[in-house]
Amino acid sequence: MEFKTPKLLISEDRIQTRVTELAKQITKDFEGRNIVVISVLKGSFLFLADLVRQIDLPCYVEFLDVQSYDGGTQSRGIVKMTKDLTYSITNMDVLIVEDIVETGLTLDYLKRNLKTRSPKSVKICVLLDKEHKRKIDVNIDYSGFKI
């Protein structure tokens, strides 16, 4: 497998500053509540780690994995869950954390799927938002950067 060196779009300092701002807003919005923070593997786990360290609330971290790219760089439009949650989210406040949102198909699928499990709420936090690539309207509650 060959890896390309990515072009730097946003400095580490800008990212850390924005993660701190997102964590403060999430802490304010969920004040007095426990939240389940769900990382969409594999891309979001580093963002999630930085974020939850700065959220000043009790957080329970869960992981799930989905596939929509089938090894490529373009979404096929079909989302398949390959790793599900370990514990129930019934009556819990849920925050889905994703690294990049493009088409919105994966996050729409996840939000709809998780809502069938009777949580109190489901919110979405993304680091990078490629809004111009949307194929489906999905509400992003916390967005780091529009790129």
Side-chain angles (χ1 to χ4, degrees):
M1 180 183 295
E2 187 177 324
F3 293 99
K4 296 179 183 177
T5 302
K7 177 184 171 188
L8 180 65
L9 297 177
I10 305 167
S11 73
E12 183 178 346
D13 288 343
R14 280 188 64 208
I15 291 170
Q16 290 307 319
T17 297
R18 187 65 184 127
V19 169
T20 298
E21 293 167 354
L22 290 169
K24 285 180 182 177
Q25 187 62 51
I26 291 165
T27 298
K28 180 181 174 193
D29 292 351
F30 287 93
E31 184 177 0
R33 299 186 276 176
N34 299 339
I35 59 173
V36 178
V37 183
I38 299 174
S39 174
V40 181
L41 293 173
K42 297 179 182 153
S44 71
F45 82 97
L46 290 174
F47 172 44
L48 173 122
D50 289 344
L51 185 67
V52 296
R53 280 192 286 256
Q54 296 189 51
I55 295 174
D56 191 19
L57 297 169
C59 292
Y60 178 77
V61 176
E62 270 279 10
F63 298 92
L64 55 76
D65 194 12
V66 293
Q67 286 184 342
S68 64
Y69 287 86
D70 199 27
T73 59
Q74 296 272 328
S75 176
R76 296 175 299 135
I78 301 167
V79 181
K80 177 174 78 171
M81 190 171 298
T82 57
K83 182 202 177 311
D84 204 347
L85 303 176
T86 307
Y87 298 101
S88 171
I89 58 168
T90 299
N91 210 28
M92 303 293 291
D93 289 300
V94 172
L95 179 66
I96 302 170
V97 176
E98 179 67 290
D99 58 343
I100 302 171
V101 60
E102 291 184 24
T103 63
L105 295 168
T106 300
L107 283 174
D108 178 67
Y109 167 83
L110 286 176
K111 191 168 187 177
R112 284 185 295 110
N113 180 292
L114 295 175
K115 281 188 170 188
T116 67
R117 304 174 194 209
S118 303
K120 275 188 197 173
S121 66
V122 178
K123 303 281 186 184
I124 297 173
C125 179
V126 300
L127 180 61
L128 304 174
D129 186 350
K130 293 184 175 183
E131 196 173 41
H132 66 283
K133 292 209 170 198
R134 284 293 188 284
K135 290 184 178 178
I136 190 167
D137 187 29
V138 61
N139 183 47
I140 306 300
D141 302 285
Y142 307 98
S143 177
F145 300 95
K146 295 202 184 300
I147 59 170

